[in-house]
Amino acid sequence: MTIASWFMLFGALMLSMGFLRVVINRLPITSSMFYLAVGIMVGPTGLALFHFNPLEESEFLEILTECAVLISLFAAGVKMPVPVSFKRWRSPLQLAFFSMFITVALVAAFAYFVLHLPLGAAILLGAIIAPTDPVLATDVQVRHHGDEDQLRFALTCEAGLNDGSAFPFVMLGLGLLGLHELGDYGAQWFLIDVIWATLAGLAIGVLFGCVLGYLVWYVRSYRQKMSVLHDFLGLGLIAAVYGVSLMVDAWGFLAVFAAAVALRQTETSLVQNRTKQKVTTQLPDANITHEKKASFQHLSEGTLIFNEHLERISELLLIILLGGTLFIDSWSWRAVGFAAFVFVIARPLSVYIGLWRSGMPMKIRGMSAWFGVRGIGSLYYLMYAIQHGLPENLALELIHVVFITITLSIFVHGLSVKPLVRHHDETS
């Protein structure tokens, strides 16, 4: 396809989504399914107008998926309800860490004993496929700041956290393949990749998010003639947090999500404290307080709107490219069987075991067990491994099973998400 053809294709898709959004919302399909169908139609399976080779273009795809995940993680973080408390976050934390670990173990066992992959490649595949996706799962995520739905909160928080919590297992798999230093008996891996990178990522994110929240509050409260550009602040926070994290070998995905949550927490706390001060001192400027509260809270809302637009554009591009990688013979029983194992066995088992004694209602557990959407995050981890020297034969094998798993996840979860979530909203 020529540059002109690509512009025409993306223009037609954007125009179609602009006009057909209401129609698609009424049908049991998602926008990702629509993009993927178009990608398959114009790719090798259909008209063969183009073919995207992920092995040859792994560097480009790594950067593209990295940016998409970062934007989506920030958007998910600023939607998190406040205040942050262990009681409220207990179930999502169990999903993001315990359930994710169990998924890695189950998938690695299947890959090792059934697919006959080397142990390092099996663990790497488990780490690649374990995280749920923050980009493609928007239909089951928190819809806005005040959304108190337990299912949406758990799935959004899980997707925000496990993109960082899976990284140590990616490094473990690479280490067992001789592509990363693990140290004696795995000591270096445990101390650096697990303990340091996780704690440092959380600390960096919280620090930057709180500082930005206080800085914006100061500018708006005491320098009223100054204004801030919400879009620049949001993207600047993402870039700064991620850059610092990379410099100190911390998990940047975890840091960006933590920064977004901290920003939301800080700005809300400041507004609430200011409102309490106005009430206790009985000042007669309630209208001013209301205006300042609305104006200040618009920071996170403004960045959210812009980031969600970027998220939709990146989703469109990446899903088109995904469809352009698939041939008819890509649909092997080996890949389809692996995907079925992930959806029907690994995900439900990991959720039910990980949420043991969590107090979450069984109905919510069942919905969470099904909606483990795999997507852009898995693509990033796979491209990351390829860029770190994954042998070509193993890279091709993992590309095969991972791309088919993501494709089936988009269709299978996409077909079920609207009726199940609608039923959940009606009965909750």
Side-chain angles (χ1 to χ4, degrees):
M1 290 178 67
T2 64
I3 295 296
S5 300
W6 276 109
F7 272 105
M8 290 175 61
L9 175 62
F10 280 101
L13 281 173
M14 289 183 178
L15 289 170
S16 299
M17 286 303 298
F19 284 108
L20 299 177
R21 184 69 180 176
V22 175
V23 177
I24 291 178
N25 286 341
R26 293 175 179 174
L27 297 175
I29 63 173
T30 63
S31 56
S32 296
M33 295 173 63
F34 179 68
Y35 302 147
L36 184 57
V38 173
I40 293 175
M41 182 179 66
V42 300
T45 303
L47 302 176
L49 298 179
F50 86 103
H51 170 233
F52 183 78
N53 190 323
L55 188 59
E56 294 180 358
E57 304 293 340
S58 59
E59 183 177 5
F60 165 72
L61 192 55
E62 180 190 10
I63 295 173
L64 194 61
T65 52
E66 189 174 25
C67 293
V69 172
L70 287 172
I71 291 170
S72 184
L73 288 173
F74 184 82
V78 296
K79 287 187 291 186
M80 290 288 95
V82 291
V84 175
S85 64
F86 177 75
K87 180 179 180 180
R88 193 175 211 177
W89 284 63
R90 177 182 172 182
S91 295
L93 287 171
Q94 289 180 241
L95 284 172
F97 290 94
F98 297 140
S99 295
M100 192 276 305
F101 170 76
I102 296 168
T103 303
V104 172
L106 291 172
V107 171
F110 184 89
Y112 183 77
F113 290 107
V114 179
L115 301 183
H116 305 294
L117 293 178
L119 179 60
I123 293 175
L124 178 60
L125 178 58
I128 288 170
I129 214 68
T132 53
D133 194 70
V135 181
L136 303 183
T138 52
D139 288 298
V140 291
Q141 288 187 357
V142 173
R143 294 162 290 190
H144 48 77
H145 294 302
D147 193 345
E148 299 289 337
D149 186 82
Q150 188 177 8
L151 173 65
R152 294 179 184 275
F153 171 71
L155 292 175
T156 306
C157 190
E158 177 194 14
L161 288 169
N162 65 15
D163 272 301
S165 61
F167 234 124
F169 297 99
V170 172
M171 307 314 294
L172 177 61
L174 291 175
L176 292 175
L177 291 171
L179 304 174
H180 178 68
E181 182 61 43
L182 298 179
D184 295 334
Y185 303 103
Q188 181 175 325
W189 169 78
F190 181 75
L191 292 175
I192 301 299
D193 295 329
V194 178
I195 303 298
W196 164 255
T198 300
L199 295 180
L202 290 172
I204 291 169
V206 171
L207 175 63
F208 275 68
C210 290
V211 168
L212 180 61
Y214 278 105
L215 182 59
V216 173
W217 173 260
Y218 174 79
V219 169
R220 287 185 165 176
S221 297
Y222 301 102
R223 296 291 185 269
Q224 297 183 19
K225 293 183 180 180
M226 296 179 63
S227 61
V228 296
L229 295 175
H230 305 136
D231 303 340
F232 276 56
L233 285 176
L235 293 178
L237 181 61
I238 293 172
V241 168
Y242 195 63
V244 171
S245 299
L246 293 180
M247 289 178 63
V248 300
D249 295 324
W251 299 135
F253 286 173
L254 202 58
V256 169
F257 181 74
V261 174
L263 173 63
R264 170 68 178 159
Q265 175 77 32
T266 301
E267 63 177 9
T268 303
S269 299
L270 289 170
V271 171
Q272 290 175 346
N273 291 338
R274 183 60 178 269
T275 304
K276 289 179 181 178
Q277 291 176 6
K278 292 289 185 180
V279 173
T280 55
T281 55
Q282 297 181 350
L283 293 178
D285 56 350
N287 292 332
I288 297 177
T289 303
H290 177 75
E291 290 174 3
K292 283 189 175 182
K293 180 177 179 180
S295 176
F296 184 76
Q297 287 187 327
H298 186 65
L299 167 64
S300 58
E301 295 172 2
T303 58
L304 177 60
I305 293 170
F306 181 70
N307 284 334
E308 284 184 336
H309 290 163
L310 292 179
E311 187 179 18
R312 291 193 187 100
I313 294 173
S314 62
E315 176 191 0
L316 186 155
L317 175 59
L318 288 166
I319 299 303
I320 289 289
L321 294 180
L322 173 63
T325 65
L326 302 176
F327 292 86
I328 295 178
D329 57 3
S330 298
W331 298 89
S332 67
W333 285 110
R334 183 180 179 88
V336 174
F338 173 80
F341 172 81
V342 172
F343 301 157
V344 179
I345 298 177
R347 172 64 180 179
L349 270 180
S350 67
V351 169
Y352 281 110
I353 296 174
L355 290 177
W356 181 62
R357 300 185 67 178
S358 67
M360 179 179 283
M362 290 302 296
K363 174 190 172 183
I364 305 298
R365 296 190 201 188
M367 297 279 283
S368 301
W370 174 243
F371 288 124
V373 181
R374 268 61 189 179
I376 308 305
S378 296
L379 288 181
Y380 168 74
Y381 283 128
L382 179 55
M383 297 305 111
Y384 179 90
I386 292 173
Q387 283 297 300
H388 280 72
L390 188 67
E392 183 174 338
N393 62 321
L394 290 177
L396 290 172
E397 175 70 14
L398 296 191
I399 286 173
H400 178 213
V401 296
V402 170
F403 275 56
I404 290 298
T405 301
I406 295 172
T407 301
L408 286 174
S409 180
I410 291 173
F411 281 122
V412 173
H413 292 119
L415 285 172
S416 59
V417 62
K418 288 186 178 179
L420 288 178
V421 170
R422 187 182 300 114
H423 175 71
H424 165 74
D425 292 339
E426 292 173 351
T427 57
S428 59

